[in-house]
Amino acid sequence: ATVPWDDLRYLFGEIMYGGHITDFWDRRTANTYLEVLFNPMLFEGGELAPKFKSPDPTKLEFADYLNYIESSLPVEAPPQFGLHPNAEIGYLTMGTTELFTSIVNISGGAGGGEGGGGSDPVKATMEDLTERLPENFVMVLVNEKA
């Protein structure tokens, strides 16, 4: 029996997920991913992501597929999406800036004196979190395990 790839892509891209995607460009991106991934290569050992091939469906049961995905799927990184390895730096920098801006705003601003007499809940939380942090990572060992 042949697999109705066009029908499956339509079901996933327009009915199941498409209804949740309201932006035209996002829907176009999702449908492009489906076009690239939902085709006969799924059954022929095609590459789903860099260094992650589709397993042979004749040799695996459902539980085996889950185990394969859990054990073999590479860590999410920009090259998996065709981006430069440094692409994530801007995203993380922006997120960090927003986080610290929120912390400063919650704690009452960045300047001024010691007025008010009350305790600073943000400072207390940050001190508590800092105390509970594990020892610093030794990046050489982390990279060896990766």
Side-chain angles (χ1 to χ4, degrees), residues 8-125:
L8 289 173
R9 285 190 291 265
Y10 183 80
L11 280 170
F12 286 109
E14 298 296 333
I15 296 172
M16 292 178 71
Y17 293 107
H20 300 284
I21 302 173
T22 57
D23 181 73
F24 168 77
W25 292 106
D26 291 343
R27 178 174 283 140
R28 184 176 173 186
T29 301
N31 285 325
T32 300
Y33 276 123
L34 290 171
E35 188 74 34
V36 170
L37 296 173
F38 275 50
N39 60 56
M41 72 90 184
L42 278 176
F43 300 131
E44 299 165 357
E47 193 171 60
L48 299 173
K51 299 180 183 177
F52 184 66
K53 294 203 179 278
S54 179
D56 183 351
T58 63
K59 297 180 180 176
L60 299 177
E61 297 293 326
F62 182 76
D64 298 323
Y65 268 100
L66 292 178
N67 185 42
Y68 176 78
I69 291 168
E70 290 294 324
S71 64
S72 302
L73 186 66
V75 175
E76 188 175 295
Q80 277 187 290
F81 305 100
L83 300 172
H84 188 277
N86 290 337
E88 195 172 26
I89 292 172
Y91 169 76
L92 294 173
T93 300
M94 185 175 65
T96 302
T97 300
E98 289 177 11
L99 172 67
F100 283 109
T101 299
S102 296
I103 291 171
V104 168
N105 289 337
I106 290 171
S107 66
E114 285 286 325
S119 65
D120 184 356
V122 173
K123 182 177 181 183
T125 301

